Structures are given as C-alpha cells and as structure tokens.
C-alpha cells in the first residue's frame, strides 16, 4: 500500500500541476458516463417499467454499480494497460525495482479524472434514494455502504484477474473490458431482463451479481430470479474476499510465467 500510495501520489501531483486540464478531463469523464443513464431515461420515456422494475429502482441499480465500478476504476483501472507493457517490454523496468509489481502497475498513470465517474454514480444513487420507496430498516441502512465497498472490491479483483490474463494473451485488453466495463453496463439493468443462464453465470461464475443485484433485491424487497435465500444479500464481503484471493493467485501465476519480450 505504501508503494501504491507513492506512485499514485506522484501522478496526482503531476495532474494537479495543470488544474484546468484536470477539471476539463474530469468533466468529460462525468459527461461520457452520464450518457449511459441518459439512454435509460430515453427507454423509460417509452415504457413504464423495465423487466418489472421502475425508473427509480433501475436508477438504484445504476447508482450502486456506477459508484462501485468508479471506485475500482479510480484505484486500479491502470491494470488494463498491462498488455501494452508486456508487448513493449516496459514491464521489465518494474521488475527490477524493489517494490511489488502489482502496486506499481495499479498506481501507474493514476487517473484522478476518473472521479467524474464516481461523482456521476453518486448523483444517480442520491436521486434514487430520494425518489424510490424503500421500507428502511437498520439492516438495509448497513447493507448500502457494505455493498458499495464490496462491489468495488469485486471489480478490483476482476481488473487484476484480467491483467493476469494479459500475461498469456497480450492483445486481450478488449476481452478484459468485456468483464469490467461490460460487466458494469450489464449491472445497470435489472436481472429480470436477462436469460436465466446469464444470471446464473453472473452469480456463480463471475459473481458480479453481488455488486448490486442481490443487495438491491433485498433493499427494494424484490425476489431474485434464482430464488436464493434472503441472507445471500449480506454475503458481498465474502464474495469480494474470495474474488480478491483468486485474483491474487492468478496474478502470481501470470507474473511467474512472464518471460519478457525476447528479441
């Protein structure tokens, strides 16, 4: 964490040296991500419900997913450039430094502009909490921040696992994006609009459902398509811990297999 903080802090200082540029790029990031919610608003201008979910409920899903992914993207989104480092050999520079490679890669080119995505997600989540009809209980209040942090942990694990995959397939950044950016796009919509096989895959294979589908179902008192017990909504921390452990093993295996670019 100390290495990560030093590397990220260096890039933050570099970014803040040009504050106007930072504000413009952060606003651009905010505006680009806001278009996803605009698309949802356009859909609801023609329908009253999507898969049985109202606009405030879908906004709640969107906010949970957007904030969780935004935090992960802010913290470790630089992992998506690992394939380029493997191809051009610049990863070798990180290997000879007396610091963990994962921390160096994660903190490299730390993009403070990605705060725009987090802010946009928080705004949609705030809107949803104001307009959606929720029967609040202490358990539901506690579940909300736990779900956000656990979701960020799950997405961080996906970023690391996708980075580890690029040791074997250097041109696989788009495959990785299918699970990171594609995953958060899928989670913006209720599980009832997807086939059951896809819902099962997002629950038991790549457990993205623990980011928002399961917690939101409990908070909004909506049944989950797979008829899981209600207590599963409180297991996102366990899912995040398991995902991070598996991603760590994948990263170590990938790093051990690295043989530089050769000639």
């Amino acid at each position: 964490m100390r290495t990560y903080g030093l590397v990220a802090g260096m890039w933050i200082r570099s970014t803040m040296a040009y504050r106007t540029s930072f504000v413009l790029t952060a606003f651009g990031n905010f505006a680009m991500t806001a278009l996803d919610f605009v698309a949802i608003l356009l859909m609801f201008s023609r329908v009253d419900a999507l898969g049985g979910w109202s606009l405030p409920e879908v906004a709640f899903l969107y906010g949970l997913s957007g904030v969780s992914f935004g935090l992960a993207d802010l913290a470790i989104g630089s992992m998506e450039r690992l394939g380029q480092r493997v191809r051009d050999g610049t990863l070798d520079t990180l290997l000879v430094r007396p610091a963990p490679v994962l921390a160096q890669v994660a903190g490299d080119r730390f993009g403070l502009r990605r705060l725009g995505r987090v802010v946009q997600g928080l705004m949609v989540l705030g809107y949803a909490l104001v307009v959606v009809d929720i029967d609040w209980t202490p358990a539901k209040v506690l579940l909300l921040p736990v779900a956000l942090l656990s979701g960020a942990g799950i997405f961080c694990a996906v970023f690391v696992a996708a980075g580890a995959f690029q040791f074997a397939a250097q041109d696989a950044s788009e495959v990785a994006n299918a699970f990171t950016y594609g995953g958060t796009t899928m989670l913006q919509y209720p599980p009832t609009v997807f086939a059951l096989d896809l819902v099962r895959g997002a629950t038991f294979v790549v457990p993205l459902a623990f980011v928002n589908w399961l917690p939101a179902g409990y908070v909004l008192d909506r049944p989950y398509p797979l008829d899981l017990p209600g207590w599963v909504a409180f297991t996102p921390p366990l899912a995040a811990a398991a995902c991070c452990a598996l991603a760590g093993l994948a990263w170590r295996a990938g790093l051990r297999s690295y043989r530089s670019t050769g000639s």
Side-chain angles (χ1 to χ4, degrees):
M1 292 302 298
R2 180 175 180 273
T3 299
Y4 173 81
L6 290 172
V7 175
M10 175 188 68
W11 285 104
I12 291 174
R13 290 191 297 272
S14 174
T15 298
M16 297 310 293
Y18 303 94
R19 299 192 178 185
T20 301
S21 175
F22 161 68
V23 171
L24 291 175
T25 54
F27 177 77
N29 191 272
F30 171 91
M32 289 297 294
T33 54
L35 291 177
D36 290 338
F37 191 64
V38 170
I40 293 175
L41 292 176
L42 290 175
M43 275 188 273
F44 274 95
S45 69
R46 295 289 181 265
V47 299
D48 295 326
L50 189 62
W53 292 56
S54 65
L55 175 59
E57 291 172 330
V58 173
F60 186 69
L61 285 178
Y62 181 101
L64 285 177
S65 171
V67 174
S68 296
F69 179 77
L71 292 173
D73 190 37
L74 175 67
I76 205 169
S78 298
M79 291 294 299
E80 64 184 1
R81 285 193 291 271
L82 181 64
Q84 177 64 37
R85 282 191 170 277
V86 172
R87 288 195 303 273
D88 60 24
T90 55
L91 184 64
D92 294 2
T93 305
L94 308 185
L95 291 171
V96 299
R97 294 174 181 169
V101 178
L102 179 58
Q104 296 183 71
V105 174
D108 185 47
R109 298 187 180 276
F110 185 88
L112 196 60
R113 68 185 183 280
R114 296 185 178 119
L115 277 173
R117 180 186 291 273
V118 179
V119 172
Q120 191 266 339
L122 284 171
M123 291 178 64
V124 176
L125 181 60
Y127 157 77
L129 291 175
V130 170
V131 299
V132 75
D133 184 18
I134 299 176
D135 182 17
W136 288 106
T137 64
K140 291 181 180 180
V141 173
L142 177 63
L143 181 59
L144 192 59
V146 170
L148 289 174
L149 295 177
S150 300
I154 291 171
F155 274 121
C156 283
V158 174
F159 270 113
V160 173
F165 179 65
Q166 293 186 63
F167 281 111
Q170 294 87 1
D171 296 317
S173 60
E174 294 305 320
V175 176
N177 290 343
F179 293 95
T180 52
Y181 295 96
T184 189
T185 300
M186 179 184 71
L187 295 177
Q188 292 168 4
Y189 299 91
T192 49
V193 304
F194 299 104
L196 282 180
D197 287 340
L198 180 59
V199 176
R200 291 188 186 98
T203 304
F204 302 113
V205 181
V206 182
L208 297 178
F210 291 84
V211 174
N212 66 344
W213 283 351
L214 289 167
Y218 179 84
V219 172
L220 299 175
D221 295 316
R222 282 196 164 272
Y224 193 63
L226 302 183
D227 295 325
L228 296 176
W231 57 263
V232 176
F234 292 90
T235 59
L238 299 178
C243 288
C244 289
L246 292 174
L249 293 174
W251 173 262
R252 295 185 67 180
L255 194 60
R256 287 196 186 101
S257 68
Y258 177 66
R259 294 293 181 269
S260 190
T261 59
S263 57

